[in-house]
């Protein structure tokens, strides 16, 4: 692995360590979204009813907000990686 690739990989890793809350929220939101998209059972509908619908709406709102934050972080990581690769002469500027 070249130094530039190591630097780029380190910057990606740093972005995740620098933003652990966002990483956790993304993971939680994806898990909740996956769970809420699964077909509901009759027993679940009887037990949860409207609460499930309200939770689904809340999760969708969190997922949307988190998606925007994740996109911003990804853009910063991509820019940092491109910069590192350029500094190492791995890509044309």
């Amino acid at each position: 692995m070249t130094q530039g690739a190591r630097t780029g990989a380190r910057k990606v890793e740093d972005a995740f360590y620098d933003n652990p809350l966002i990483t956790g929220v993304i993971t939680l939101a994806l898990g909740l979204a996956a769970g809420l998209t699964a077909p509901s059972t009759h027993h679940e509908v009887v037990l949860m009813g409207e609460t499930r619908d309200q939770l689904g709406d809340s999760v969708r709102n969190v997922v949307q907000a988190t998606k925007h934050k994740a996109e911003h972080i990804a853009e910063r990581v991509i820019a940092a990686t491109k910069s590192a690769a350029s500094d190492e002469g791995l890509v044309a500027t």
Side-chain angles (χ1 to χ4, degrees), residues 31-41 44-45 52:
L32 284 171
L36 290 172
T37 58
S40 56
T41 64
E44 180 184 21
V45 170
R52 181 183 188 277

Side-chain angles (χ1 to χ4, degrees), residues 14-83:
D14 289 346
F16 286 109
Y17 282 112
D18 291 343
N19 301 290
L21 183 60
I22 296 223
T23 302
V25 169
I26 290 169
T27 303
L28 177 65
L30 289 174
L32 284 171
L36 290 172
T37 58
S40 56
T41 64
H42 175 70
H43 188 66
E44 180 184 21
V45 170
V46 170
L47 286 175
M48 296 297 289
E50 191 171 317
T51 303
R52 181 183 188 277
D53 296 337
Q54 291 170 349
L55 179 60
D57 292 340
S58 295
V59 168
R60 276 186 280 284
N61 292 338
V62 169
V63 167
Q64 186 66 24
T66 304
K67 177 185 167 204
H68 291 302
K69 291 177 184 177
E71 287 171 348
H72 179 69
I73 290 170
E75 288 169 1
R76 289 180 20 212
V77 168
I78 290 168
T81 303
K82 285 181 179 180
S83 176

